[in-house]
Amino acid sequence: MRPLDRLLQRWRIRKALPWVRAGDRLLDIGCYDRSLIDRVGDRVVSAVGVDVDVAPADDGKVRLLKGRFPDDFSFDPGSFDCVTCLAVLEHVEDPDAFANACHRVLSSGGRAVLTVPHPFVDRILAVLVFLRLIRGMHVEEHHGFEVAETVPIFQCAGFRLLKRRRFQLGLNHLFVFEKP
């Protein structure tokens, strides 16, 4: 990761941190280098990180799994109290199936915490990658996801919106949903 990549990642993590509660069983989808998991490690009971680029590991409290959610994993219903997906939804081919899978693995009262960039960010990223200011992890896999679709997709899956906030000069969005 280049310094700007790391800065943007930390910014997303800071937005998500307040929504991970003490005692949560966490599923971090797109965990990459487990930075979010390491930041909430003292707060959560357990954490599972899923990413296509992670090296599998298990230390008893944190388990890292290589693959794509939900395609490569079958977690039991209600296995987690919090699901985090930071800069992930724009990489998902079937957002409806993704939201339904998040709902299924969450316990009642569980939260899905997402950050979703505006589609215009793809153009900015292309320039920053060209200038070698960022590495642009998996930029080529962006599906041009429209931010406005986030709330309807997650509401159709059975979630209730708790919070929506823009950040990073309005180019990124935090969404927090709760499973009733």
Side-chain angles (χ1 to χ4, degrees):
M1 274 186 136
R2 298 191 191 277
L4 187 55
D5 288 307
R6 183 73 63 199
L7 173 74
L8 296 173
Q9 178 196 41
R10 287 181 184 146
W11 199 341
R12 289 188 300 266
I13 289 171
R14 276 195 311 274
K15 293 295 178 185
L17 286 177
W19 300 98
V20 180
R21 298 170 289 199
D24 276 353
R25 297 166 295 156
L26 175 67
L27 172 60
D28 184 20
I29 301 168
C31 68
Y32 184 59
D33 62 1
R34 68 180 268 172
S35 291
L36 182 139
I37 292 172
D38 291 340
R39 289 285 304 273
V40 298
D42 294 342
R43 192 181 327 177
V44 298
V45 171
S46 62
V48 174
V50 172
D51 198 292
V52 295
D53 290 327
V54 74
D58 188 344
D59 70 7
K61 182 175 180 176
V62 175
R63 199 169 57 154
L64 302 177
L65 304 172
K66 184 178 180 98
R68 294 186 188 280
F69 177 87
D71 303 333
D72 299 329
F73 307 104
S74 178
F75 298 114
D76 290 335
S79 296
F80 301 99
D81 306 301
C82 186
V83 172
T84 52
C85 320
L86 309 186
V88 169
L89 197 56
E90 66 276 15
H91 299 277
V92 173
E93 289 186 36
D94 187 347
D96 295 310
F98 183 85
N100 284 318
C102 288
H103 190 273
R104 187 183 69 73
V105 301
L106 277 170
S107 61
S108 294
R111 293 177 175 174
V113 181
L114 299 84
T115 63
V116 183
H118 189 279
F120 184 70
V121 169
D122 289 349
R123 292 186 205 144
I124 295 169
L125 291 176
V127 171
L128 294 174
V129 168
F130 178 78
L131 296 173
R132 296 184 179 199
L133 294 174
I134 64 169
R135 191 173 139 240
M137 299 170 290
H138 303 289
V139 168
E140 72 283 355
E141 294 178 8
H142 283 205
H143 295 284
F145 184 76
E146 180 53 53
V147 176
E149 296 176 21
T150 308
V151 172
I153 287 169
F154 277 78
Q155 285 178 335
C156 284
F159 285 100
R160 175 175 74 91
L161 180 66
L162 289 181
K163 182 76 168 181
R164 178 181 184 172
R165 173 173 281 161
R166 291 179 179 194
F167 66 103
Q168 292 177 343
L169 305 174
L171 294 172
N172 216 327
H173 301 257
L174 169 75
F175 293 93
V176 181
F177 296 96
E178 183 178 64
K179 179 178 178 177

